[in-house]
PDB file of all heavy atoms in Angstrom:
ATOM      1  N   ASN B   1       2.301 -22.160   0.076  1.00 97.00           N
ATOM      2  CA  ASN B   1       3.693 -22.033   0.540  1.00 97.00           C
ATOM      3  C   ASN B   1       4.618 -22.853  -0.362  1.00 97.00           C
ATOM      4  O   ASN B   1       5.651 -22.352  -0.826  1.00 97.00           O
ATOM      5  CB  ASN B   1       3.797 -22.465   1.999  1.00 97.00           C
ATOM      6  CG  ASN B   1       5.161 -22.217   2.599  1.00 97.00           C
ATOM      7  OD1 ASN B   1       5.849 -21.270   2.259  1.00 97.00           O
ATOM      8  ND2 ASN B   1       5.547 -23.076   3.525  1.00 97.00           N
ATOM      9  N   SER B   2       4.248 -24.077  -0.642  1.00 97.00           N
ATOM     10  CA  SER B   2       5.055 -24.943  -1.510  1.00 97.00           C
ATOM     11  C   SER B   2       5.142 -24.383  -2.921  1.00 97.00           C
ATOM     12  O   SER B   2       6.223 -24.385  -3.530  1.00 97.00           O
ATOM     13  CB  SER B   2       4.462 -26.351  -1.561  1.00 97.00           C
ATOM     14  OG  SER B   2       4.557 -26.966  -0.309  1.00 97.00           O
ATOM     15  N   ALA B   3       4.024 -23.885  -3.439  1.00 98.00           N
ATOM     16  CA  ALA B   3       4.011 -23.330  -4.799  1.00 98.00           C
ATOM     17  C   ALA B   3       4.908 -22.104  -4.902  1.00 98.00           C
ATOM     18  O   ALA B   3       5.642 -21.943  -5.882  1.00 98.00           O
ATOM     19  CB  ALA B   3       2.581 -22.983  -5.202  1.00 98.00           C
ATOM     20  N   LEU B   4       4.865 -21.241  -3.894  1.00 98.00           N
ATOM     21  CA  LEU B   4       5.712 -20.044  -3.904  1.00 98.00           C
ATOM     22  C   LEU B   4       7.188 -20.417  -3.878  1.00 98.00           C
ATOM     23  O   LEU B   4       7.992 -19.846  -4.605  1.00 98.00           O
ATOM     24  CB  LEU B   4       5.379 -19.143  -2.711  1.00 98.00           C
ATOM     25  CG  LEU B   4       4.044 -18.406  -2.782  1.00 98.00           C
ATOM     26  CD1 LEU B   4       3.700 -17.800  -1.428  1.00 98.00           C
ATOM     27  CD2 LEU B   4       4.074 -17.345  -3.869  1.00 98.00           C
ATOM     28  N   LYS B   5       7.534 -21.377  -3.046  1.00 97.00           N
ATOM     29  CA  LYS B   5       8.940 -21.791  -2.956  1.00 97.00           C
ATOM     30  C   LYS B   5       9.394 -22.470  -4.239  1.00 97.00           C
ATOM     31  O   LYS B   5      10.506 -22.221  -4.716  1.00 97.00           O
ATOM     32  CB  LYS B   5       9.148 -22.651  -1.729  1.00 97.00           C
ATOM     33  CG  LYS B   5       8.976 -21.817  -0.467  1.00 97.00           C
ATOM     34  CD  LYS B   5       9.364 -22.501   0.788  1.00 97.00           C
ATOM     35  CE  LYS B   5       9.111 -21.494   1.907  1.00 97.00           C
ATOM     36  NZ  LYS B   5       9.916 -21.635   3.030  1.00 97.00           N
ATOM     37  N   LYS B   6       8.538 -23.286  -4.822  1.00 97.00           N
ATOM     38  CA  LYS B   6       8.874 -23.953  -6.080  1.00 97.00           C
ATOM     39  C   LYS B   6       9.078 -22.927  -7.199  1.00 97.00           C
ATOM     40  O   LYS B   6       9.925 -23.109  -8.076  1.00 97.00           O
ATOM     41  CB  LYS B   6       7.763 -24.932  -6.463  1.00 97.00           C
ATOM     42  CG  LYS B   6       8.039 -25.713  -7.714  1.00 97.00           C
ATOM     43  CD  LYS B   6       6.928 -26.699  -8.003  1.00 97.00           C
ATOM     44  CE  LYS B   6       7.171 -27.426  -9.302  1.00 97.00           C
ATOM     45  NZ  LYS B   6       6.044 -28.282  -9.664  1.00 97.00           N
ATOM     46  N   ALA B   7       8.318 -21.827  -7.151  1.00 97.00           N
ATOM     47  CA  ALA B   7       8.418 -20.778  -8.170  1.00 97.00           C
ATOM     48  C   ALA B   7       9.529 -19.774  -7.865  1.00 97.00           C
ATOM     49  O   ALA B   7       9.681 -18.790  -8.577  1.00 97.00           O
ATOM     50  CB  ALA B   7       7.083 -20.045  -8.284  1.00 97.00           C
ATOM     51  N   ASN B   8      10.293 -20.038  -6.802  1.00 96.00           N
ATOM     52  CA  ASN B   8      11.386 -19.145  -6.389  1.00 96.00           C
ATOM     53  C   ASN B   8      10.917 -17.722  -6.112  1.00 96.00           C
ATOM     54  O   ASN B   8      11.619 -16.758  -6.414  1.00 96.00           O
ATOM     55  CB  ASN B   8      12.518 -19.142  -7.417  1.00 96.00           C
ATOM     56  CG  ASN B   8      13.194 -20.478  -7.505  1.00 96.00           C
ATOM     57  OD1 ASN B   8      13.506 -21.087  -6.487  1.00 96.00           O
ATOM     58  ND2 ASN B   8      13.399 -20.955  -8.719  1.00 96.00           N
ATOM     59  N   ALA B   9       9.717 -17.608  -5.541  1.00 97.00           N
ATOM     60  CA  ALA B   9       9.211 -16.286  -5.155  1.00 97.00           C
ATOM     61  C   ALA B   9      10.042 -15.751  -3.992  1.00 97.00           C
ATOM     62  O   ALA B   9      10.510 -16.519  -3.146  1.00 97.00           O
ATOM     63  CB  ALA B   9       7.746 -16.390  -4.735  1.00 97.00           C
ATOM     64  N   LYS B  10      10.225 -14.464  -3.964  1.00 97.00           N
ATOM     65  CA  LYS B  10      10.892 -13.829  -2.829  1.00 97.00           C
ATOM     66  C   LYS B  10       9.905 -13.842  -1.658  1.00 97.00           C
ATOM     67  O   LYS B  10       8.836 -13.241  -1.730  1.00 97.00           O
ATOM     68  CB  LYS B  10      11.305 -12.405  -3.175  1.00 97.00           C
ATOM     69  CG  LYS B  10      11.968 -11.699  -2.008  1.00 97.00           C
ATOM     70  CD  LYS B  10      12.357 -10.272  -2.371  1.00 97.00           C
ATOM     71  CE  LYS B  10      12.964  -9.586  -1.157  1.00 97.00           C
ATOM     72  NZ  LYS B  10      13.255  -8.175  -1.435  1.00 97.00           N
ATOM     73  N   ILE B  11      10.264 -14.537  -0.592  1.00 97.00           N
ATOM     74  CA  ILE B  11       9.401 -14.622   0.587  1.00 97.00           C
ATOM     75  C   ILE B  11       9.724 -13.456   1.514  1.00 97.00           C
ATOM     76  O   ILE B  11      10.866 -13.297   1.954  1.00 97.00           O
ATOM     77  CB  ILE B  11       9.584 -15.968   1.330  1.00 97.00           C
ATOM     78  CG1 ILE B  11       9.358 -17.155   0.377  1.00 97.00           C
ATOM     79  CG2 ILE B  11       8.669 -16.038   2.547  1.00 97.00           C
ATOM     80  CD1 ILE B  11       7.987 -17.250  -0.228  1.00 97.00           C
ATOM     81  N   ILE B  12       8.730 -12.645   1.800  1.00 96.00           N
ATOM     82  CA  ILE B  12       8.893 -11.499   2.690  1.00 96.00           C
ATOM     83  C   ILE B  12       8.572 -11.883   4.123  1.00 96.00           C
ATOM     84  O   ILE B  12       9.248 -11.461   5.057  1.00 96.00           O
ATOM     85  CB  ILE B  12       7.978 -10.342   2.241  1.00 96.00           C
ATOM     86  CG1 ILE B  12       8.393  -9.869   0.854  1.00 96.00           C
ATOM     87  CG2 ILE B  12       8.020  -9.192   3.234  1.00 96.00           C
ATOM     88  CD1 ILE B  12       7.421  -8.893   0.251  1.00 96.00           C
ATOM     89  N   ARG B  13       7.518 -12.662   4.289  1.00 97.00           N
ATOM     90  CA  ARG B  13       7.130 -13.169   5.602  1.00 97.00           C
ATOM     91  C   ARG B  13       6.890 -14.663   5.459  1.00 97.00           C
ATOM     92  O   ARG B  13       5.992 -15.101   4.752  1.00 97.00           O
ATOM     93  CB  ARG B  13       5.859 -12.478   6.098  1.00 97.00           C
ATOM     94  CG  ARG B  13       5.385 -13.013   7.433  1.00 97.00           C
ATOM     95  CD  ARG B  13       4.098 -12.365   7.887  1.00 97.00           C
ATOM     96  NE  ARG B  13       3.690 -12.911   9.171  1.00 97.00           N
ATOM     97  CZ  ARG B  13       2.906 -12.301  10.021  1.00 97.00           C
ATOM     98  NH1 ARG B  13       2.429 -11.106   9.735  1.00 97.00           N
ATOM     99  NH2 ARG B  13       2.574 -12.877  11.152  1.00 97.00           N
ATOM    100  N   GLU B  14       7.728 -15.419   6.147  1.00 97.00           N
ATOM    101  CA  GLU B  14       7.547 -16.873   6.136  1.00 97.00           C
ATOM    102  C   GLU B  14       6.193 -17.217   6.750  1.00 97.00           C
ATOM    103  O   GLU B  14       5.628 -16.442   7.523  1.00 97.00           O
ATOM    104  CB  GLU B  14       8.660 -17.555   6.950  1.00 97.00           C
ATOM    105  CG  GLU B  14      10.032 -17.475   6.308  1.00 97.00           C
ATOM    106  CD  GLU B  14      10.207 -18.384   5.097  1.00 97.00           C
ATOM    107  OE1 GLU B  14       9.404 -19.305   4.883  1.00 97.00           O
ATOM    108  OE2 GLU B  14      11.173 -18.140   4.356  1.00 97.00           O
ATOM    109  N   LEU B  15       5.706 -18.377   6.412  1.00 96.00           N
ATOM    110  CA  LEU B  15       4.444 -18.861   6.952  1.00 96.00           C
ATOM    111  C   LEU B  15       4.467 -18.745   8.467  1.00 96.00           C
ATOM    112  O   LEU B  15       5.342 -19.319   9.124  1.00 96.00           O
ATOM    113  CB  LEU B  15       4.236 -20.311   6.515  1.00 96.00           C
ATOM    114  CG  LEU B  15       2.935 -20.986   6.915  1.00 96.00           C
ATOM    115  CD1 LEU B  15       1.732 -20.204   6.409  1.00 96.00           C
ATOM    116  CD2 LEU B  15       2.906 -22.396   6.373  1.00 96.00           C
ATOM    117  N   SER B  16       3.547 -17.965   9.011  1.00 97.00           N
ATOM    118  CA  SER B  16       3.512 -17.724  10.456  1.00 97.00           C
ATOM    119  C   SER B  16       2.120 -17.286  10.874  1.00 97.00           C
ATOM    120  O   SER B  16       1.267 -16.962  10.041  1.00 97.00           O
ATOM    121  CB  SER B  16       4.543 -16.661  10.839  1.00 97.00           C
ATOM    122  OG  SER B  16       4.278 -15.449  10.166  1.00 97.00           O
ATOM    123  N   TYR B  17       1.927 -17.247  12.176  1.00 97.00           N
ATOM    124  CA  TYR B  17       0.642 -16.858  12.746  1.00 97.00           C
ATOM    125  C   TYR B  17       0.583 -15.348  12.921  1.00 97.00           C
ATOM    126  O   TYR B  17       1.534 -14.733  13.411  1.00 97.00           O
ATOM    127  CB  TYR B  17       0.440 -17.559  14.095  1.00 97.00           C
ATOM    128  CG  TYR B  17      -0.841 -17.183  14.784  1.00 97.00           C
ATOM    129  CD1 TYR B  17      -2.073 -17.490  14.216  1.00 97.00           C
ATOM    130  CD2 TYR B  17      -0.827 -16.515  16.003  1.00 97.00           C
ATOM    131  CE1 TYR B  17      -3.255 -17.139  14.845  1.00 97.00           C
ATOM    132  CE2 TYR B  17      -1.999 -16.161  16.644  1.00 97.00           C
ATOM    133  CZ  TYR B  17      -3.213 -16.479  16.059  1.00 97.00           C
ATOM    134  OH  TYR B  17      -4.384 -16.127  16.684  1.00 97.00           O
ATOM    135  N   ALA B  18      -0.547 -14.750  12.542  1.00 96.00           N
ATOM    136  CA  ALA B  18      -0.794 -13.317  12.726  1.00 96.00           C
ATOM    137  C   ALA B  18      -1.957 -13.169  13.715  1.00 96.00           C
ATOM    138  O   ALA B  18      -3.121 -13.297  13.328  1.00 96.00           O
ATOM    139  CB  ALA B  18      -1.136 -12.648  11.404  1.00 96.00           C
ATOM    140  N   PRO B  19      -1.644 -12.928  14.993  1.00 96.00           N
ATOM    141  CA  PRO B  19      -2.715 -12.881  15.994  1.00 96.00           C
ATOM    142  C   PRO B  19      -3.737 -11.773  15.765  1.00 96.00           C
ATOM    143  O   PRO B  19      -4.908 -11.921  16.138  1.00 96.00           O
ATOM    144  CB  PRO B  19      -1.966 -12.683  17.318  1.00 96.00           C
ATOM    145  CG  PRO B  19      -0.613 -12.212  16.951  1.00 96.00           C
ATOM    146  CD  PRO B  19      -0.333 -12.699  15.575  1.00 96.00           C
ATOM    147  N   SER B  20      -3.334 -10.680  15.140  1.00 95.00           N
ATOM    148  CA  SER B  20      -4.266  -9.568  14.938  1.00 95.00           C
ATOM    149  C   SER B  20      -5.449  -9.949  14.042  1.00 95.00           C
ATOM    150  O   SER B  20      -6.522  -9.353  14.136  1.00 95.00           O
ATOM    151  CB  SER B  20      -3.538  -8.360  14.341  1.00 95.00           C
ATOM    152  OG  SER B  20      -2.971  -8.698  13.096  1.00 95.00           O
ATOM    153  N   ILE B  21      -5.253 -10.952  13.185  1.00 94.00           N
ATOM    154  CA  ILE B  21      -6.342 -11.407  12.319  1.00 94.00           C
ATOM    155  C   ILE B  21      -6.656 -12.894  12.542  1.00 94.00           C
ATOM    156  O   ILE B  21      -7.426 -13.477  11.772  1.00 94.00           O
ATOM    157  CB  ILE B  21      -6.044 -11.127  10.832  1.00 94.00           C
ATOM    158  CG1 ILE B  21      -4.744 -11.811  10.380  1.00 94.00           C
ATOM    159  CG2 ILE B  21      -6.001  -9.641  10.551  1.00 94.00           C
ATOM    160  CD1 ILE B  21      -4.495 -11.748   8.875  1.00 94.00           C
ATOM    161  N   ASN B  22      -6.069 -13.479  13.582  1.00 96.00           N
ATOM    162  CA  ASN B  22      -6.274 -14.890  13.929  1.00 96.00           C
ATOM    163  C   ASN B  22      -6.142 -15.787  12.688  1.00 96.00           C
ATOM    164  O   ASN B  22      -7.000 -16.604  12.390  1.00 96.00           O
ATOM    165  CB  ASN B  22      -7.635 -15.113  14.603  1.00 96.00           C
ATOM    166  CG  ASN B  22      -7.733 -16.500  15.216  1.00 96.00           C
ATOM    167  OD1 ASN B  22      -6.744 -17.047  15.712  1.00 96.00           O
ATOM    168  ND2 ASN B  22      -8.917 -17.082  15.172  1.00 96.00           N
ATOM    169  N   SER B  23      -5.045 -15.582  11.974  1.00 97.00           N
ATOM    170  CA  SER B  23      -4.831 -16.312  10.733  1.00 97.00           C
ATOM    171  C   SER B  23      -3.362 -16.681  10.577  1.00 97.00           C
ATOM    172  O   SER B  23      -2.481 -16.007  11.115  1.00 97.00           O
ATOM    173  CB  SER B  23      -5.236 -15.448   9.532  1.00 97.00           C
ATOM    174  OG  SER B  23      -6.596 -15.133   9.577  1.00 97.00           O
ATOM    175  N   ASP B  24      -3.134 -17.725   9.816  1.00 97.00           N
ATOM    176  CA  ASP B  24      -1.786 -18.045   9.369  1.00 97.00           C
ATOM    177  C   ASP B  24      -1.587 -17.310   8.050  1.00 97.00           C
ATOM    178  O   ASP B  24      -2.501 -17.224   7.225  1.00 97.00           O
ATOM    179  CB  ASP B  24      -1.626 -19.553   9.200  1.00 97.00           C
ATOM    180  CG  ASP B  24      -1.713 -20.257  10.539  1.00 97.00           C
ATOM    181  OD1 ASP B  24      -0.885 -19.947  11.409  1.00 97.00           O
ATOM    182  OD2 ASP B  24      -2.622 -21.087  10.714  1.00 97.00           O
ATOM    183  N   VAL B  25      -0.379 -16.772   7.860  1.00 98.00           N
ATOM    184  CA  VAL B  25      -0.111 -15.859   6.746  1.00 98.00           C
ATOM    185  C   VAL B  25       1.236 -16.182   6.116  1.00 98.00           C
ATOM    186  O   VAL B  25       2.168 -16.596   6.805  1.00 98.00           O
ATOM    187  CB  VAL B  25      -0.078 -14.396   7.271  1.00 98.00           C
ATOM    188  CG1 VAL B  25       0.321 -13.426   6.178  1.00 98.00           C
ATOM    189  CG2 VAL B  25      -1.399 -14.009   7.882  1.00 98.00           C
ATOM    190  N   ILE B  26       1.325 -15.987   4.807  1.00 98.00           N
ATOM    191  CA  ILE B  26       2.609 -15.977   4.115  1.00 98.00           C
ATOM    192  C   ILE B  26       2.565 -14.811   3.127  1.00 98.00           C
ATOM    193  O   ILE B  26       1.543 -14.573   2.481  1.00 98.00           O
ATOM    194  CB  ILE B  26       2.930 -17.303   3.389  1.00 98.00           C
ATOM    195  CG1 ILE B  26       4.342 -17.240   2.797  1.00 98.00           C
ATOM    196  CG2 ILE B  26       1.891 -17.653   2.367  1.00 98.00           C
ATOM    197  CD1 ILE B  26       4.880 -18.563   2.306  1.00 98.00           C
ATOM    198  N   THR B  27       3.668 -14.062   3.051  1.00 98.00           N
ATOM    199  CA  THR B  27       3.751 -12.905   2.162  1.00 98.00           C
ATOM    200  C   THR B  27       4.968 -13.073   1.256  1.00 98.00           C
ATOM    201  O   THR B  27       6.032 -13.472   1.714  1.00 98.00           O
ATOM    202  CB  THR B  27       3.886 -11.601   2.987  1.00 98.00           C
ATOM    203  OG1 THR B  27       2.858 -11.569   3.971  1.00 98.00           O
ATOM    204  CG2 THR B  27       3.763 -10.382   2.090  1.00 98.00           C
ATOM    205  N   ALA B  28       4.776 -12.772  -0.017  1.00 98.00           N
ATOM    206  CA  ALA B  28       5.845 -12.955  -0.999  1.00 98.00           C
ATOM    207  C   ALA B  28       5.759 -11.857  -2.050  1.00 98.00           C
ATOM    208  O   ALA B  28       4.868 -11.011  -2.011  1.00 98.00           O
ATOM    209  CB  ALA B  28       5.712 -14.330  -1.657  1.00 98.00           C
ATOM    210  N   GLN B  29       6.706 -11.903  -2.984  1.00 98.00           N
ATOM    211  CA  GLN B  29       6.671 -11.000  -4.127  1.00 98.00           C
ATOM    212  C   GLN B  29       6.725 -11.818  -5.410  1.00 98.00           C
ATOM    213  O   GLN B  29       7.409 -12.839  -5.477  1.00 98.00           O
ATOM    214  CB  GLN B  29       7.839 -10.021  -4.097  1.00 98.00           C
ATOM    215  CG  GLN B  29       7.673  -8.952  -3.046  1.00 98.00           C
ATOM    216  CD  GLN B  29       8.799  -7.947  -3.061  1.00 98.00           C
ATOM    217  OE1 GLN B  29       9.873  -8.202  -3.586  1.00 98.00           O
ATOM    218  NE2 GLN B  29       8.562  -6.798  -2.452  1.00 98.00           N
ATOM    219  N   ASP B  30       5.997 -11.346  -6.417  1.00 98.00           N
ATOM    220  CA  ASP B  30       6.056 -11.984  -7.724  1.00 98.00           C
ATOM    221  C   ASP B  30       7.329 -11.521  -8.442  1.00 98.00           C
ATOM    222  O   ASP B  30       8.084 -10.718  -7.893  1.00 98.00           O
ATOM    223  CB  ASP B  30       4.763 -11.708  -8.520  1.00 98.00           C
ATOM    224  CG  ASP B  30       4.598 -10.270  -8.978  1.00 98.00           C
ATOM    225  OD1 ASP B  30       5.594  -9.512  -9.068  1.00 98.00           O
ATOM    226  OD2 ASP B  30       3.446  -9.886  -9.268  1.00 98.00           O
ATOM    227  N   PRO B  31       7.599 -12.008  -9.642  1.00 97.00           N
ATOM    228  CA  PRO B  31       8.859 -11.664 -10.325  1.00 97.00           C
ATOM    229  C   PRO B  31       9.067 -10.175 -10.604  1.00 97.00           C
ATOM    230  O   PRO B  31      10.192  -9.751 -10.821  1.00 97.00           O
ATOM    231  CB  PRO B  31       8.783 -12.450 -11.637  1.00 97.00           C
ATOM    232  CG  PRO B  31       7.878 -13.581 -11.353  1.00 97.00           C
ATOM    233  CD  PRO B  31       6.872 -13.054 -10.373  1.00 97.00           C
ATOM    234  N   GLU B  32       7.999  -9.379 -10.593  1.00 97.00           N
ATOM    235  CA  GLU B  32       8.141  -7.948 -10.833  1.00 97.00           C
ATOM    236  C   GLU B  32       8.091  -7.128  -9.545  1.00 97.00           C
ATOM    237  O   GLU B  32       8.034  -5.906  -9.579  1.00 97.00           O
ATOM    238  CB  GLU B  32       7.095  -7.459 -11.838  1.00 97.00           C
ATOM    239  CG  GLU B  32       7.353  -8.015 -13.225  1.00 97.00           C
ATOM    240  CD  GLU B  32       6.532  -7.349 -14.309  1.00 97.00           C
ATOM    241  OE1 GLU B  32       5.803  -6.381 -14.037  1.00 97.00           O
ATOM    242  OE2 GLU B  32       6.631  -7.824 -15.460  1.00 97.00           O
ATOM    243  N   GLY B  33       8.103  -7.824  -8.405  1.00 97.00           N
ATOM    244  CA  GLY B  33       8.154  -7.121  -7.128  1.00 97.00           C
ATOM    245  C   GLY B  33       6.809  -6.708  -6.566  1.00 97.00           C
ATOM    246  O   GLY B  33       6.755  -5.945  -5.598  1.00 97.00           O
ATOM    247  N   ASN B  34       5.715  -7.192  -7.128  1.00 97.00           N
ATOM    248  CA  ASN B  34       4.397  -6.923  -6.555  1.00 97.00           C
ATOM    249  C   ASN B  34       4.197  -7.835  -5.350  1.00 97.00           C
ATOM    250  O   ASN B  34       4.509  -9.030  -5.409  1.00 97.00           O
ATOM    251  CB  ASN B  34       3.295  -7.181  -7.586  1.00 97.00           C
ATOM    252  CG  ASN B  34       3.467  -6.324  -8.811  1.00 97.00           C
ATOM    253  OD1 ASN B  34       3.449  -5.105  -8.727  1.00 97.00           O
ATOM    254  ND2 ASN B  34       3.664  -6.960  -9.957  1.00 97.00           N
ATOM    255  N   THR B  35       3.691  -7.289  -4.265  1.00 98.00           N
ATOM    256  CA  THR B  35       3.525  -8.068  -3.039  1.00 98.00           C
ATOM    257  C   THR B  35       2.199  -8.809  -3.064  1.00 98.00           C
ATOM    258  O   THR B  35       1.150  -8.242  -3.372  1.00 98.00           O
ATOM    259  CB  THR B  35       3.611  -7.150  -1.810  1.00 98.00           C
ATOM    260  OG1 THR B  35       4.884  -6.487  -1.833  1.00 98.00           O
ATOM    261  CG2 THR B  35       3.496  -7.939  -0.523  1.00 98.00           C
ATOM    262  N   ILE B  36       2.268 -10.093  -2.722  1.00 98.00           N
ATOM    263  CA  ILE B  36       1.088 -10.945  -2.628  1.00 98.00           C
ATOM    264  C   ILE B  36       1.099 -11.618  -1.269  1.00 98.00           C
ATOM    265  O   ILE B  36       2.139 -12.043  -0.778  1.00 98.00           O
ATOM    266  CB  ILE B  36       1.043 -11.985  -3.773  1.00 98.00           C
ATOM    267  CG1 ILE B  36       2.390 -12.697  -3.941  1.00 98.00           C
ATOM    268  CG2 ILE B  36       0.618 -11.349  -5.070  1.00 98.00           C
ATOM    269  CD1 ILE B  36       2.427 -13.738  -5.044  1.00 98.00           C
ATOM    270  N   GLN B  37      -0.073 -11.669  -0.664  1.00 97.00           N
ATOM    271  CA  GLN B  37      -0.183 -12.267   0.673  1.00 97.00           C
ATOM    272  C   GLN B  37      -1.337 -13.256   0.669  1.00 97.00           C
ATOM    273  O   GLN B  37      -2.367 -13.023   0.040  1.00 97.00           O
ATOM    274  CB  GLN B  37      -0.429 -11.177   1.707  1.00 97.00           C
ATOM    275  CG  GLN B  37      -0.506 -11.701   3.127  1.00 97.00           C
ATOM    276  CD  GLN B  37      -0.368 -10.579   4.134  1.00 97.00           C
ATOM    277  OE1 GLN B  37       0.733 -10.136   4.398  1.00 97.00           O
ATOM    278  NE2 GLN B  37      -1.478 -10.113   4.671  1.00 97.00           N
ATOM    279  N   PHE B  38      -1.145 -14.334   1.372  1.00 98.00           N
ATOM    280  CA  PHE B  38      -2.137 -15.386   1.476  1.00 98.00           C
ATOM    281  C   PHE B  38      -2.384 -15.669   2.946  1.00 98.00           C
ATOM    282  O   PHE B  38      -1.447 -15.679   3.745  1.00 98.00           O
ATOM    283  CB  PHE B  38      -1.628 -16.656   0.785  1.00 98.00           C
ATOM    284  CG  PHE B  38      -1.260 -16.416  -0.650  1.00 98.00           C
ATOM    285  CD1 PHE B  38       0.011 -15.984  -0.996  1.00 98.00           C
ATOM    286  CD2 PHE B  38      -2.186 -16.598  -1.656  1.00 98.00           C
ATOM    287  CE1 PHE B  38       0.361 -15.738  -2.306  1.00 98.00           C
ATOM    288  CE2 PHE B  38      -1.850 -16.354  -2.983  1.00 98.00           C
ATOM    289  CZ  PHE B  38      -0.580 -15.927  -3.309  1.00 98.00           C
ATOM    290  N   TYR B  39      -3.646 -15.882   3.294  1.00 97.00           N
ATOM    291  CA  TYR B  39      -3.936 -16.179   4.692  1.00 97.00           C
ATOM    292  C   TYR B  39      -5.047 -17.214   4.790  1.00 97.00           C
ATOM    293  O   TYR B  39      -5.864 -17.379   3.887  1.00 97.00           O
ATOM    294  CB  TYR B  39      -4.304 -14.908   5.461  1.00 97.00           C
ATOM    295  CG  TYR B  39      -5.675 -14.351   5.163  1.00 97.00           C
ATOM    296  CD1 TYR B  39      -6.765 -14.649   5.976  1.00 97.00           C
ATOM    297  CD2 TYR B  39      -5.885 -13.523   4.069  1.00 97.00           C
ATOM    298  CE1 TYR B  39      -8.012 -14.146   5.705  1.00 97.00           C
ATOM    299  CE2 TYR B  39      -7.131 -13.008   3.793  1.00 97.00           C
ATOM    300  CZ  TYR B  39      -8.195 -13.319   4.612  1.00 97.00           C
ATOM    301  OH  TYR B  39      -9.444 -12.820   4.334  1.00 97.00           O
ATOM    302  N   LYS B  40      -5.011 -17.906   5.916  1.00 97.00           N
ATOM    303  CA  LYS B  40      -6.059 -18.867   6.256  1.00 97.00           C
ATOM    304  C   LYS B  40      -6.444 -18.610   7.703  1.00 97.00           C
ATOM    305  O   LYS B  40      -5.576 -18.646   8.595  1.00 97.00           O
ATOM    306  CB  LYS B  40      -5.582 -20.299   6.087  1.00 97.00           C
ATOM    307  CG  LYS B  40      -6.682 -21.295   6.430  1.00 97.00           C
ATOM    308  CD  LYS B  40      -6.282 -22.727   6.229  1.00 97.00           C
ATOM    309  CE  LYS B  40      -7.489 -23.568   6.571  1.00 97.00           C
ATOM    310  NZ  LYS B  40      -7.199 -24.953   6.695  1.00 97.00           N
ATOM    311  N   GLU B  41      -7.712 -18.325   7.912  1.00 96.00           N
ATOM    312  CA  GLU B  41      -8.190 -18.049   9.260  1.00 96.00           C
ATOM    313  C   GLU B  41      -8.140 -19.318  10.094  1.00 96.00           C
ATOM    314  O   GLU B  41      -8.409 -20.426   9.606  1.00 96.00           O
ATOM    315  CB  GLU B  41      -9.633 -17.537   9.225  1.00 96.00           C
ATOM    316  CG  GLU B  41      -9.767 -16.187   8.566  1.00 96.00           C
ATOM    317  CD  GLU B  41     -11.206 -15.740   8.442  1.00 96.00           C
ATOM    318  OE1 GLU B  41     -12.094 -16.598   8.230  1.00 96.00           O
ATOM    319  OE2 GLU B  41     -11.451 -14.530   8.552  1.00 96.00           O
TER     320      GLU B  41
END
């Protein structure tokens, strides 16, 4: 989360809980608009 914000990534979904996968998730886009998502169960 800190690295994405420091890199000025476009955040699509702020760090939040996703009950469907019982994980915390953050979703962003890289500089060319490719979507990247990170999760921790």
Side-chain angles (χ1 to χ4, degrees):
N1 187 33
S2 294
L4 288 168
K5 292 189 180 208
K6 182 178 177 186
N8 294 314
K10 178 181 178 185
I11 305 298
I12 297 171
R13 178 182 180 157
E14 291 287 344
L15 183 57
S16 59
Y17 178 64
S20 60
I21 58 171
N22 192 34
S23 298
D24 293 301
V25 175
I26 185 168
T27 309
Q29 287 183 340
D30 70 21
E32 292 192 5
N34 301 299
T35 302
I36 48 180
Q37 182 164 281
F38 304 87
Y39 74 96
K40 181 178 182 192
E41 293 176 325

